[in-house]
Amino acid sequence: TEPFSTTGAYSGNASTRDVATSADTSVRATVSGSELTAASGGVDVLPLMSRVATALATNDTAALSTTLDELAKAVEQVGLARTRVGGSMKVLESTVTAHAELTESLTKTISNEIEVDSLAAASNLAKTSQALEVSRTVTSHLIALLKPS
């Protein structure tokens, strides 16, 4: 069912959806269509816009002047809804960024702890082998020196 009729009457509900941003917190990810109605303490924005459009099309200045107070309320109402949406989007974007950074950090940690750099491993093996050979040579000389003749 469409939340707004062709006349702009709201027939939806006031339900919203929250999205978890951490283990303990969530943020509202939707705005109820009822925020654009008189039920939210404002005006019915869509029917008002229809009346304004009709008055503009017919050049009815008297009808337009009667909508000025309602238009001011509607602008404030829409502005508040946009502010809530913007705040929610900022929190959600920050959560997505934090998730991406955590994923990158965990991937790097796993790579450092599990995966082997073949070139570094071969270089370390060569150095260790060389140190072992030097140690064998020195040990052989020491044994030869300490052997009774």
Side-chain angles (χ1 to χ4, degrees):
T1 305
E2 295 290 326
F4 289 93
S5 70
T6 55
T7 62
Y10 184 66
S11 60
N13 59 34
S15 297
T16 59
R17 291 192 177 115
D18 293 342
V19 174
T21 54
S22 73
D24 304 342
T25 60
S26 63
V27 67
R28 181 170 292 154
T30 59
V31 174
S32 170
S34 64
E35 291 192 31
L36 300 178
T37 67
S40 67
V43 296
D44 289 324
V45 174
L46 295 178
L48 173 62
M49 292 298 114
S50 179
R51 288 192 342 250
V52 168
T54 301
L56 286 170
T58 60
N59 200 24
D60 186 352
T61 56
L64 277 175
S65 64
T66 63
T67 63
L68 292 179
D69 288 338
E70 289 179 289
L71 280 171
K73 285 182 184 177
V75 167
E76 182 179 342
Q77 199 172 335
V78 171
L80 289 172
R82 289 184 63 178
T83 299
R84 278 193 285 280
V85 169
S88 296
M89 287 179 64
K90 183 66 178 165
V91 170
L92 291 171
E93 287 172 5
S94 297
T95 301
V96 168
T97 300
H99 181 266
E101 289 172 358
L102 176 62
T103 300
E104 184 178 331
S105 174
L106 290 174
T107 301
K108 186 175 180 180
T109 300
I110 289 169
S111 175
N112 290 340
E113 298 297 324
I114 295 175
E115 296 173 4
V116 176
D117 180 3
S118 302
L119 187 59
S123 177
N124 287 339
L125 179 61
K127 287 178 187 176
T128 305
S129 295
Q130 185 179 13
L132 179 61
E133 285 305 314
V134 168
S135 177
R136 282 184 184 164
T137 303
V138 169
T139 303
S140 294
H141 286 330
L142 284 175
I143 289 174
L145 290 172
L146 295 174
K147 240 186 197 179
S149 318

